[in-house]
Amino acid sequence: MAQKKGQPPPLPPSLPNGWPSPSPDDLLERPLRIIQINRPQTYSFITNFIRTSKYTLYTFVPKFLAITFHPRKKMANVYFFIIACMQMIPLITNTHGIPTVFLPLSFVVFVDGIFAALEDLARHAADDRANASLTDSIENGKSKQAEWSTVRVGDFLKIKNREVIPADIVILAVKEKTQIPEGRAYVETKSLDGETNLKMRRALKCTYLRIKEDADTLNIGEGKIEMEHPNKLIDSFKGTFSLVGQEKEVIDPNNVLLRGCTLRNVDWVIGIVVNTGQDTKIMMSNTESPVKLSSLEQRINVEIKRVVMYLGAVCFTGAMGSFVWKHNKMLDAWYLRWTEADAEDPTQNLHDYNATGEFLLSAIVQFFYYFLLMANFVPVSLYVSMSTVKYFQAKFIEDDLEIYHAETDTPTKVRTMALNEELGQISHVFSDKTGTLTCNIMDFRKCTVNGVSYGKGITEIGRAAFMLQGEDVPDDVLAGEMLSREHAEMHKQPHVNFYDQSIRFDLVGAKTEEQAEALQDFFTVLALCHSVIPEHDEETGEVHLSASSPDDEALVCGAKFFGFDFIDRKQGNATLKLSTGEEKTYQILEMIEFNSTRKRMSVVVKKDDVIELYSKGADTVMIPRLKGNQEKLLGSTCEHMTEYAKEGLRTLMICKRTLDKDWFEKWHKDFKAASANLTEIEKRLMGKSNKIDLLAEDLEKDLRLLGASAIEDKLQDGVPACIADLANAGIKIWVLTGDKVETAINIAVACRLLHPEEYMEQIIITAEDDDEFDKNKLKDKLIENIREFENDVKEAGSPDLIKPRALVIDGPALIVGMDAEVQPYLLRFTQCCKAVVGCRVSPDQKRQMVNMVKTKVRGVKTLAIGDGANDVAMIQAAHVGIGISGQEGMQAVNASDYAIAQFKYLRRLLLVHGRWNYRRMSRLVCYIFYKNIVMAIVQFWYAFQTGFSGQKFYFEGGIQLFNIAYTCFPIMLLGVFDKDVDEKIILKYPQLYNNGIRDAFFNSGVFFNWILAGTFESVIISIFPLYALDNTSKPGAQGGDGLLPSLWMFGATSFSLVVLVTNFKLLMNQYTFPWFSIVVWLLSVGSWFLSAWGMTSVLIMDFDGYGVYVELMQNQSYWLCLLLVCVFLGGRDFFFKGYQRAFRPQLHHVLQEIDKFNLDSLDNIQIPLPPQPHMYMKENLADLPEHVEESENLELLQIVRRATRTASDMFHIPKGLGFAFDASDMQTVMEERNIVLGRSAVKHNKSRMSAIIFGKSTSPTNASFVDRPGTMIGKKSFGEGIAFWDDDDELSGEEEDDEEETSAGKESTIMGSLGMAGLFVSKLMGAVDDDKSDDKSDDKIDSKREATKSEGSSNRESVGSGRWSMGF
């Protein structure tokens, strides 16, 4: 744009070219962001206007359509868009060139657009509120209100108490509540980092004494700020502040207030804006959560491709039928030629007629014509139905009072409703501990001072420790716990649960003066060494503590409980009020704060000209800093700390040091200089050696040990029961925490995650105190434990009969375990464990562990749950992320897919809502495809009567309304309300959840059983009306008038049957029938009859079908045809379901009857855990050293030993020389084999097994003639041959629910015969030999098979239903 005359030239942008990824040359050209103070800016900056919405008024349509028709996300929409385009091609159109599919497609897209718009409108509203918020802006020394969106870089802002910061600002001045200014302000950063504690910030030293009011912003003069370019590092800020005629002052993170934080504890703050809008750190940190799709939605895209392939096969068949028909009939049907022919002599010029070319071209055209005719194979209403159902499912989850926390008024929040059904398929739960399993509300429980332990009672975790050792809790300990609770209730001191009268006497010198002095020093350190901020309520006079961590708050409250009350912090002083009423003031000279690297905190205080250092921290960092000659005290203190850790208490070592005044002054001068040095600050941020940390090390040495504190983080209510139920459901639970190994183990026992040694073997791998620990040592230990596990399985015969394993591993060992060479073995061993506990793990290690299981193991669905900002990476990495609205703010919640208030709510969220939603969505998807295929393929069968012409015989209006009106609403109600089992039964028998882990409700087997059922029913629906209506119309037939029914009458009858049969099918697969569901069902079915009568009664609406339905409704044969077909097809499902309930009941069938008939006598029924899902490593693992040959032979020995076991109620010996076991035992054998050999061994096994197992089974086995080794084998029912039961087949899905009951041939059983025992074993051993040489010919194996058939034919034995048998 040309510059206007007299207008100043535009300013260059403040950011380098190519931002945010500038080249080195561009960055060198503009290395710093320069902001002018009290003078015009030399660079342009973006405004403070923010937008977090996805769309604007102008971009909504193009962006939404790009997402809606994305082939990887909404494949069905792309499919129908192509169909609509094809409908406009004159050569193949069956709608007169009108794209009729656009009508339902537009409706679907419109509804999706409404959901997207409603979701985005909420973001727009939030953006508008933020941009229109008001703040005080200072211009020319005067304050005025301005909207946030008008704030510019370089503006002076005045932020008042409890106001939200509108932009990133550097603090220039603070109006404090104290008389002497110190330039201190406090902010709440909950919206930024998720932490609820207050953090202290400081004004620049060169300005905070010069600015007392608004006008003083002009008096500071001109200057500039040189700083780093905008970034998302919220704990980092590098820059300098310089005024004309003054030295530069370093700006560090403590001088900056970030947008989104809340100002607290001061009257106002005046600052200068340095970052606005999208350049602020909070906006740059707001990375979008990863887009997550449920596994069901991902599988839908796969099944759509298969359905389209099925459609292509049908179209190809129709095209070939047309080719053949025309080839045979074209001479007679000369009028169908594309080239002109003489009507009087069709054979004229026949030699010039290119029949083959025309037939082929006609077949190609016919293929696409059929494609359009049956385009409804893929349902157009699929996505809108799923979205609608998930929306209401989410509402029911949010409105569930059972997972609503009344104390904090926190309901469960659904943030990603697309994952509703994924909640029903979770196989692994990864949980944080602090704030997730525990309350994150700390109580001061015990302490050790000068070698003396104080504090009675025991925690829940301490009880678990006694249980772990097989001991009872002593009576005096239990009595002490009761007194402790009574004492805490009596005194009502927050964050203190302590009882031990001896400490009161020792404080006044009852034991010794030395002990009294040590106790006084101990509690003085607790009262002063912290970052707690006292907030004074001017109305009530009360003091509220705001701590940087709940541990600090508990320690300060503990000091108050013993008479050392921290009451104020101002003017560089801290004031304590003693129990005597005396107030003591300590001057705070320096404070070195706690961080995850230092793991300690120190404060230097001055009292009566004595300078002392007070320190507290983890024992691992404090012990090396102690002065000598304290071995005895250190030994007793460490012993007490170990005892506290066994109770799950969090311990800190408390120390002090008296400092020489001259030495400290020199040290302090050096420390301040280093803290103001930008180079040293940058080194420290990058984790490099720096003077700041070196000087801190110099200060924190030669410490005198005072003792240690122990605080309790209580378990949340219901956590043990929740974890026990999740484990019974088949879910593996991993707890990842930063605690010590002993603490983590005891907490896991208290949560029922781990069990005592006599019930569970704990494998503990730690590297923290092992200097020789390396990857080879870890690898050897893992291999040793894997072998031990396999040997135990070998001896017991089943993994369920051995002592379960649990892995406890610490962070340093996990770093080694993530090595590419070791990781496969670590992963393999974790799959052998019932539980995994990670100790001393970092946030990134949590993410790595989740990713390891998620990406390396097939069949898993991971869930991560946490409550703090350090859990965000783990939450976002998992398939489903759960955030807990706890004490650590909302960062985890904001990054999560679902938010709950308590860990115990996870039980109901998964077992009840998750299972219901997974089953409902599975049924919904299968049914929608089923009904569409029934409707579409009927026209293909009719083509056999019309010379494969592709003539459609449905009303076009009926086709378009089929998915919108006739079948849409009943299935959506099922998806929202249907319950196969009541919630109280699900919670009582959590084993029901295991079906979801195994994908039993939606897999390829279940899906295509529905497709095959629809294909079979479509044949009946197509053929039956042709003969029923035709015969009743002939002369002589009762009511016959001699007029043949038209094709439109046939079509209307078939379409009526499609509507009725598909809706009756839904009823047969529904368990609950609320009144409104029945009403909607009747309205949906009735709408067809009403609309059919209306469409055919008005000529303009349907020319072809005008008057057809009115006439058809008067035909008695029409109604009889509807009745007979519905009874026949409905009866088939009815009787098969009855057969299944009577002879092959599933677990939910049994539980339904228990609930229905109130069988209280069965309350103690023991429901076995269903087979575990087949979860195996995606990558082939290297075989364990010197273990492969033994494993290969072990497979066969194990099968024989397993089969010949008789000491079990699950087995019976049939009459004669034989043995039997049922299908569940076969599943167990397969699982054992996979544990022993691993999946990789199976893939390399090329030989066949030649043994034959005979017997009878009423359960489906997917019998097939395959060359897959290592799977159980048998003979087909009353026939000859070898059949394998392949563990990769979708057996679990076919056995689980009623979807699979629709396909034909499922009642087939496997029978066979077997010869002598020697032959059986020799054939098996021969199979092993074949593994070593792959050159065995198939002919040789077949000859062995035939020999086995002839030798075993005389030994055939019939065995009872549901049993597999082997005969010798």
Side-chain angles (χ1 to χ4, degrees):
M1 181 180 295
Q3 179 184 339
K4 294 183 179 179
K5 187 176 182 180
Q7 188 179 30
L11 298 175
S14 63
L15 298 173
N17 293 330
W19 188 263
S21 302
S23 66
D25 292 338
D26 291 331
L27 196 58
L28 187 62
E29 180 184 348
R30 197 165 300 163
L32 295 174
R33 184 182 181 92
I34 300 175
I35 301 167
Q36 302 297 330
I37 303 171
N38 282 329
R39 56 190 179 193
Q41 302 297 330
T42 55
Y43 294 97
S44 64
F45 304 91
I46 65 172
T47 67
N48 203 37
F49 180 87
I50 59 108
R51 183 172 63 84
T52 62
S53 57
K54 284 185 180 180
Y55 313 107
T56 66
L57 186 63
Y58 304 104
T59 63
F60 176 78
V61 173
K63 279 190 175 181
F64 172 72
L65 291 180
I67 296 173
T68 301
F69 292 98
H70 194 289
R72 292 185 180 179
K73 297 178 181 178
K74 300 290 182 76
M75 182 176 290
N77 290 348
V78 177
Y79 169 83
F80 279 103
F81 180 79
I82 295 173
I83 293 297
C85 294
M86 291 173 64
Q87 284 182 328
M88 294 187 289
I89 301 175
L91 196 60
I92 61 175
T93 183
N94 59 358
T95 58
H96 307 292
I98 301 173
T100 56
V101 173
F102 269 135
L103 175 63
L105 180 61
S106 299
F107 174 78
V108 169
V109 172
F110 178 74
V111 173
D112 269 348
I114 290 177
F115 280 117
L118 289 175
E119 185 180 3
D120 207 51
L121 280 175
R123 298 191 188 97
H124 274 283
D127 291 343
D128 291 342
R129 286 193 298 269
N131 290 323
S133 298
L134 298 177
T135 188
D136 289 334
S137 177
I138 301 175
E139 291 185 15
N140 299 320
K142 296 182 180 180
S143 177
K144 68 172 185 178
Q145 283 199 328
E147 291 186 353
W148 281 20
S149 59
T150 63
V151 172
R152 298 292 184 268
V153 171
D155 287 354
F156 292 102
L157 298 183
K158 186 175 185 179
I159 314 298
K160 297 177 182 177
N161 190 35
R162 295 191 177 273
E163 286 187 353
V164 180
I165 315 299
D168 294 350
I169 67 174
V170 173
I171 307 174
L172 302 180
V174 179
K175 178 67 167 75
E176 302 169 80
K177 298 180 182 295
T178 59
Q179 295 296 326
I180 302 177
E182 296 178 296
R184 291 184 179 181
Y186 300 93
V187 291
E188 184 180 87
T189 61
K190 180 168 63 176
S191 63
L192 193 65
D193 57 13
E195 298 181 7
T196 55
N197 53 280
L198 298 186
K199 294 182 173 61
M200 185 173 64
R201 297 291 182 260
R202 295 177 181 272
L204 294 177
K205 296 176 183 178
C206 64
T207 59
Y208 84 91
L209 292 176
R210 298 176 60 184
I211 299 178
K212 305 295 184 183
E213 55 186 19
D214 300 347
D216 291 336
T217 56
L218 295 175
N219 299 332
I220 63 173
E222 297 180 348
K224 67 178 179 179
I225 296 174
E226 295 180 320
M227 54 175 283
E228 61 188 353
H229 289 294
N231 59 65
K232 62 181 180 181
L233 303 177
I234 60 175
D235 294 323
S236 170
F237 192 95
K238 292 181 288 186
T240 59
F241 184 94
S242 59
L243 296 174
V244 176
Q246 296 188 20
E247 294 184 358
K248 288 183 179 180
E249 181 175 349
V250 174
I251 306 174
D252 63 28
N254 289 327
N255 302 127
V256 180
L257 298 179
L258 302 181
R259 178 186 174 117
C261 299
T262 303
L263 186 66
R264 297 282 296 276
N265 248 27
V266 294
D267 291 336
W268 50 255
V269 161
I270 291 178
I272 185 171
V273 178
V274 292
N275 289 325
T276 52
Q278 301 297 330
D279 284 346
T280 57
K281 290 185 180 290
I282 189 173
M283 295 304 297
M284 297 192 74
S285 300
N286 283 345
T287 56
E288 291 187 6
S289 298
V291 177
K292 297 181 180 180
L293 288 178
S294 68
S295 57
L296 184 140
E297 289 190 45
Q298 295 175 34
R299 184 177 282 272
I300 285 175
N301 287 335
V302 175
E303 302 302 348
I304 286 177
K305 295 177 183 178
R306 294 175 178 174
V307 168
V308 173
M309 291 173 63
Y310 179 34
L311 172 59
V314 171
C315 295
F316 180 79
T317 303
M320 290 300 99
S322 174
F323 177 88
V324 172
W325 188 91
K326 289 183 178 181
H327 183 273
N328 295 332
K329 302 288 186 178
M330 187 58 73
L331 187 60
D332 296 331
W334 51 268
Y335 47 85
L336 294 179
R337 296 180 194 169
W338 288 11
T339 56
E340 294 184 2
D342 191 339
E344 296 181 359
D345 184 9
T347 62
Q348 187 177 358
N349 299 325
L350 189 60
H351 60 279
D352 296 328
Y353 175 53
N354 185 6
T356 303
E358 181 173 315
F359 293 165
L360 287 175
L361 186 59
S362 175
I364 294 173
V365 171
Q366 203 68 14
F367 175 88
F368 289 103
Y369 185 86
Y370 274 113
F371 202 91
L372 291 180
L373 184 68
M374 292 176 288
N376 283 302
F377 261 49
V378 178
V380 68
S381 61
L382 176 64
Y383 292 126
V384 69
S385 299
M386 291 177 64
S387 298
T388 304
V389 167
K390 288 183 179 184
Y391 174 80
F392 286 104
Q393 287 176 350
K395 287 299 180 185
F396 278 113
I397 292 175
E398 293 180 338
D399 294 340
D400 188 351
L401 294 179
E402 296 294 328
I403 49 179
Y404 164 75
H405 196 240
E407 295 179 13
T408 57
D409 189 26
T410 307
T412 296
K413 183 68 177 175
V414 178
R415 297 173 55 83
T416 310
M417 68 180 185
L419 300 177
N420 286 351
E421 67 273 13
E422 197 85 339
L423 293 172
Q425 299 179 270
I426 301 301
S427 62
H428 286 67
V429 169
F430 296 83
S431 175
D432 176 42
K433 180 193 76 74
T434 304
T436 303
L437 301 179
T438 61
C439 299
N440 201 23
I441 300 176
M442 309 300 175
D443 284 346
F444 186 90
R445 284 296 302 251
K446 297 183 179 183
C447 64
T448 173
V449 181
N450 199 30
V452 180
S453 179
Y454 297 98
K456 304 291 185 181
I458 189 170
T459 65
E460 289 296 324
I461 298 170
R463 295 173 189 262
F466 276 98
M467 183 177 69
L468 194 62
Q469 299 170 3
E471 302 175 3
D472 294 330
V473 182
D475 292 338
D476 61 328
V477 176
L478 293 175
E481 176 62 17
M482 291 185 62
L483 289 172
S484 177
R485 293 183 180 181
E486 292 174 1
H487 203 249
E489 184 67 25
M490 182 188 307
H491 289 273
K492 295 188 181 299
Q493 172 65 46
H495 304 295
V496 177
N497 185 3
F498 184 95
Y499 175 77
D500 192 341
Q501 293 295 340
S502 63
I503 196 172
R504 300 279 183 187
F505 297 106
D506 291 351
L507 268 169
V508 295
K511 186 183 291 287
T512 62
E513 288 297 328
E514 179 187 0
Q515 185 68 17
E517 182 183 350
L519 284 168
Q520 292 170 9
D521 287 343
F522 180 85
F523 288 115
T524 300
V525 174
L526 295 189
L528 293 175
C529 185
H530 55 75
S531 58
V532 175
I533 300 166
E535 294 187 80
H536 296 266
D537 191 323
E538 296 178 357
E539 296 181 0
T540 62
E542 295 181 357
V543 178
H544 302 283
L545 300 179
S546 180
S548 59
S549 74
D551 301 64
D552 270 358
E553 187 173 4
L555 294 176
V556 172
C557 289
K560 178 181 178 181
F561 185 73
F562 295 104
F564 296 79
D565 187 9
F566 172 69
I567 59 174
D568 205 358
R569 184 197 298 273
K570 59 184 179 180
Q571 302 174 13
N573 297 324
T575 304
L576 302 185
K577 184 177 182 180
L578 305 183
S579 56
T580 59
E582 176 189 0
E583 290 188 2
K584 284 188 175 183
T585 301
Y586 296 78
Q587 183 181 359
I588 307 297
L589 300 178
E590 190 59 67
M591 180 184 292
I592 308 177
E593 296 184 351
F594 176 93
N595 62 44
S596 58
T597 303
R598 285 171 38 79
K599 297 183 180 179
R600 62 189 183 277
M601 178 183 182
S602 296
V603 60
V604 180
V605 302
K606 183 178 181 181
K607 174 68 175 173
D608 300 330
D609 288 333
V610 177
I611 301 176
E612 291 183 315
L613 169 72
Y614 296 155
S615 294
K616 65 180 181 184
D619 53 346
T620 54
V621 298
M622 298 298 286
I623 291 176
R625 291 166 173 79
L626 298 178
K627 70 178 181 179
N629 301 322
Q630 300 185 87
E631 288 78 9
K632 183 178 179 180
L633 174 59
L634 178 61
S636 59
T637 301
C638 289
E639 183 180 345
H640 294 153
M641 293 178 72
T642 301
E643 293 176 1
Y644 299 157
K646 289 180 179 179
E647 292 191 50
L649 300 178
R650 299 157 66 98
T651 58
L652 288 175
M653 198 167 272
I654 311 299
C655 304
K656 67 175 289 188
R657 175 190 177 190
T658 302
L659 302 174
D660 178 75
K661 183 177 180 181
D662 295 334
W663 181 90
F664 173 76
E665 288 179 353
K666 181 179 181 305
W667 177 92
H668 201 203
K669 181 180 179 182
D670 294 340
F671 185 77
K672 284 190 172 184
S675 300
N677 190 306
L678 278 178
T679 304
E680 299 301 324
I681 293 173
E682 187 171 356
K683 287 181 180 179
R684 193 183 191 207
L685 291 173
M686 297 175 65
K688 297 180 180 180
S689 177
N690 60 88
K691 289 184 179 180
I692 301 174
D693 288 337
L694 291 175
L695 286 167
E697 291 278 352
D698 197 30
L699 177 71
E700 297 166 328
K701 66 180 182 181
D702 297 330
L703 302 176
R704 181 165 74 88
L705 177 62
L706 297 176
S709 63
I711 56 179
E712 177 188 13
D713 187 5
K714 292 183 178 179
L715 286 176
Q716 292 182 11
D717 293 337
V719 167
C722 175
I723 288 181
D725 281 346
L726 295 180
N728 288 335
I731 298 173
K732 293 186 177 183
I733 302 171
W734 295 30
V735 172
L736 309 177
T737 176
D739 288 326
K740 299 177 182 178
V741 172
E742 297 83 1
T743 306
I745 290 175
N746 291 332
I747 289 173
V749 172
C751 295
R752 301 186 194 173
L753 181 63
L754 301 184
H755 302 290
E757 284 289 345
E758 59 267 29
Y759 303 111
M760 175 178 279
E761 184 173 339
Q762 299 172 11
I763 292 85
I764 302 175
I765 302 177
T766 61
E768 192 168 23
D769 300 322
D770 189 349
D771 296 334
E772 298 180 357
F773 193 91
D774 58 13
K775 65 180 181 181
N776 292 326
K777 188 172 183 178
L778 176 58
K779 182 178 176 180
D780 292 342
K781 188 172 183 67
L782 291 171
I783 291 174
E784 177 187 352
N785 282 282
I786 293 172
R787 286 180 175 176
E788 184 180 344
F789 177 83
E790 292 175 352
N791 290 333
D792 288 351
V793 172
K794 176 182 176 180
E795 293 175 4
S798 168
D800 297 329
L801 301 178
I802 69 172
K803 187 186 294 186
R805 265 58 168 180
L807 173 64
V808 180
I809 186 169
D810 68 356
L814 190 59
I815 293 175
V816 179
M818 288 295 112
D819 183 88
E821 184 179 343
V822 184
Q823 190 184 74
Y825 296 94
L826 175 63
L827 183 61
R828 181 169 179 176
F829 182 61
T830 59
Q831 297 307 299
C832 303
C833 297
K834 293 287 186 182
V836 177
V837 178
C839 316
R840 302 286 197 188
V841 293
S842 67
D844 191 59
Q845 286 178 320
K846 294 180 182 181
R847 178 191 60 79
Q848 287 179 348
M849 296 186 79
V850 173
N851 272 332
M852 178 181 72
V853 176
K854 177 182 175 182
T855 59
K856 302 292 185 180
V857 184
R858 285 183 182 168
V860 301
K861 303 293 184 299
T862 58
L863 180 148
I865 179 169
D867 73 318
N870 60 341
D871 301 316
V872 169
M874 174 179 71
I875 287 172
Q876 292 187 337
H879 289 98
V880 178
I882 306 286
I884 290 186
S885 308
Q887 302 295 317
E888 295 190 24
M890 300 296 291
Q891 192 81 344
V893 169
N894 293 337
S896 67
D897 303 304
Y898 298 84
I900 58 179
Q902 297 274 298
F903 182 88
K904 64 181 179 181
Y905 295 156
L906 189 63
R907 172 175 176 252
R908 183 175 179 85
L909 185 65
L910 297 187
L911 302 187
V912 178
H913 289 289
R915 183 185 178 277
W916 278 346
N917 291 338
Y918 168 56
R919 185 186 165 277
R920 291 164 178 168
M921 293 304 299
S922 300
R923 189 64 56 87
L924 179 140
V925 172
C926 290
Y927 175 79
I928 288 178
F929 275 95
Y930 153 81
K931 67 183 178 65
N932 273 60
I933 285 180
V934 171
M935 189 267 288
I937 204 170
V938 165
Q939 299 191 94
F940 172 72
W941 305 124
Y942 184 69
F944 284 84
Q945 309 294 321
T946 61
F948 294 95
S949 64
Q951 172 64 49
K952 71 173 184 178
F953 69 149
Y954 287 161
F955 303 147
E956 187 62 32
I959 295 174
Q960 303 307 325
L961 291 175
F962 179 75
N963 286 310
I964 296 176
Y966 309 148
T967 58
C968 177
F969 299 106
I971 183 59
M972 287 200 291
L973 289 179
L974 179 145
V976 175
F977 295 102
D978 194 44
K979 304 175 184 178
D980 62 330
V981 180
D982 190 75
E983 60 188 72
K984 69 175 185 286
I985 297 294
I986 297 175
L987 295 175
K988 188 174 183 180
Y989 301 104
Q991 295 88 343
L992 282 166
Y993 185 84
N994 192 269
N995 297 330
I997 302 177
R998 295 185 291 124
D999 281 343
F1001 294 144
F1002 190 80
N1003 53 57
S1004 295
V1006 170
F1007 182 80
F1008 274 94
N1009 280 332
W1010 278 85
I1011 301 305
L1012 293 175
T1015 303
F1016 168 74
E1017 292 172 6
S1018 69
V1019 174
I1020 305 300
I1021 291 172
S1022 176
I1023 295 176
F1024 197 89
L1026 294 176
Y1027 293 97
L1029 296 184
D1030 184 60
N1031 290 332
T1032 58
S1033 301
K1034 294 179 179 179
Q1038 185 175 359
D1041 53 9
L1043 297 177
L1044 294 178
S1046 67
L1047 69 90
W1048 300 111
M1049 295 182 69
F1050 288 132
T1053 305
S1054 293
F1055 198 86
S1056 299
L1057 286 170
V1058 168
V1059 173
L1060 287 171
V1061 169
T1062 55
N1063 277 284
F1064 274 117
K1065 186 80 165 186
L1066 185 64
L1067 288 181
M1068 295 296 295
N1069 286 278
Q1070 192 168 336
Y1071 287 98
T1072 54
F1073 300 91
W1075 65 268
F1076 51 83
S1077 177
I1078 300 298
V1079 170
V1080 170
W1081 188 92
L1082 292 173
L1083 290 175
S1084 297
V1085 174
S1087 66
W1088 153 247
F1089 294 97
L1090 184 63
S1091 62
W1093 176 82
M1095 285 186 295
T1096 58
S1097 298
V1098 181
L1099 180 63
I1100 195 173
M1101 292 187 66
D1102 198 315
F1103 179 80
D1104 294 329
Y1106 177 68
V1108 168
Y1109 203 75
V1110 176
E1111 181 180 349
L1112 191 61
M1113 293 179 70
Q1114 300 173 4
N1115 190 330
Q1116 298 177 0
S1117 299
Y1118 166 73
W1119 300 105
L1120 180 63
C1121 177
L1122 299 186
L1123 177 64
L1124 292 177
V1125 173
C1126 289
V1127 169
F1128 173 72
L1129 294 179
R1132 169 181 167 274
D1133 286 341
F1134 180 82
F1135 284 109
F1136 193 83
K1137 286 178 181 292
Y1139 166 79
Q1140 185 187 39
R1141 283 183 175 272
F1143 301 103
R1144 289 176 45 207
Q1146 302 299 319
L1147 177 57
H1148 66 279
H1149 294 147
V1150 177
L1151 296 179
Q1152 284 170 357
E1153 294 189 16
I1154 292 175
D1155 182 43
K1156 177 68 176 177
F1157 299 107
N1158 297 318
L1159 301 179
D1160 296 333
S1161 60
L1162 297 180
D1163 279 349
N1164 296 323
I1165 184 174
Q1166 296 296 320
I1167 303 296
L1169 186 67
Q1172 285 291 318
H1174 295 302
M1175 295 179 291
Y1176 53 93
M1177 273 63 78
K1178 291 182 178 180
E1179 298 177 357
N1180 293 334
L1181 297 183
D1183 290 319
L1184 299 181
E1186 303 175 0
H1187 197 57
V1188 181
E1189 284 189 22
E1190 181 182 358
S1191 298
E1192 291 174 349
N1193 294 325
L1194 175 62
E1195 173 195 10
L1196 303 172
L1197 296 175
Q1198 193 163 303
I1199 292 175
V1200 176
R1201 180 183 64 255
R1202 177 70 171 169
T1204 54
R1205 285 183 54 204
T1206 58
S1208 172
D1209 293 335
M1210 296 182 67
F1211 300 87
H1212 71 276
I1213 302 298
K1215 183 178 180 180
L1217 298 175
F1219 52 88
F1221 55 97
D1222 61 16
S1224 65
D1225 298 313
M1226 297 180 70
Q1227 181 85 353
T1228 305
V1229 173
M1230 294 295 87
E1231 291 174 352
E1232 291 175 358
R1233 180 183 181 281
N1234 288 333
I1235 291 172
V1236 174
L1237 291 180
R1239 292 280 175 148
S1240 58
V1242 177
K1243 294 182 178 180
H1244 297 297
N1245 191 345
K1246 303 296 184 182
S1247 65
R1248 300 183 183 183
M1249 286 191 175
S1250 305
I1252 303 173
I1253 303 172
F1254 72 90
K1256 182 180 180 183
S1257 171
T1258 57
S1259 61
T1261 59
N1262 261 6
S1264 58
F1265 294 89
V1266 297
D1267 295 338
R1268 173 67 180 267
T1271 49
M1272 295 309 297
I1273 52 180
K1275 287 189 75 174
K1276 196 172 182 180
S1277 176
F1278 303 104
E1280 301 294 330
I1282 300 295
F1284 284 74
W1285 179 23
D1286 189 347
D1287 58 351
D1288 277 345
D1289 288 338
E1290 301 291 349
L1291 175 62
S1292 59
E1294 296 176 7
E1295 285 194 80
E1296 194 46 50
D1297 211 69
D1298 300 326
E1299 290 91 334
E1300 69 277 8
E1301 298 165 2
T1302 58
S1303 66
K1306 274 187 264 197
E1307 296 86 343
S1308 63
T1309 58
I1310 295 183
M1311 298 287 289
S1313 62
L1314 182 66
M1316 299 170 57
L1319 178 62
F1320 172 71
V1321 176
S1322 66
K1323 298 298 183 184
L1324 286 177
M1325 298 309 295
V1328 175
D1329 294 335
D1330 290 346
D1331 291 346
K1332 302 176 184 178
S1333 58
D1334 294 340
D1335 56 351
K1336 300 291 184 180
S1337 66
D1338 288 347
D1339 294 336
K1340 187 174 181 179
I1341 294 175
D1342 292 338
S1343 65
K1344 289 184 179 181
R1345 185 178 300 163
E1346 294 300 328
T1348 306
K1349 295 176 188 175
S1350 59
E1351 292 178 272
S1353 59
S1354 60
N1355 291 330
R1356 186 165 298 170
E1357 183 82 36
S1358 177
V1359 186
S1361 173
R1363 297 283 173 173
W1364 293 78
S1365 66
M1366 291 181 174
F1368 287 117

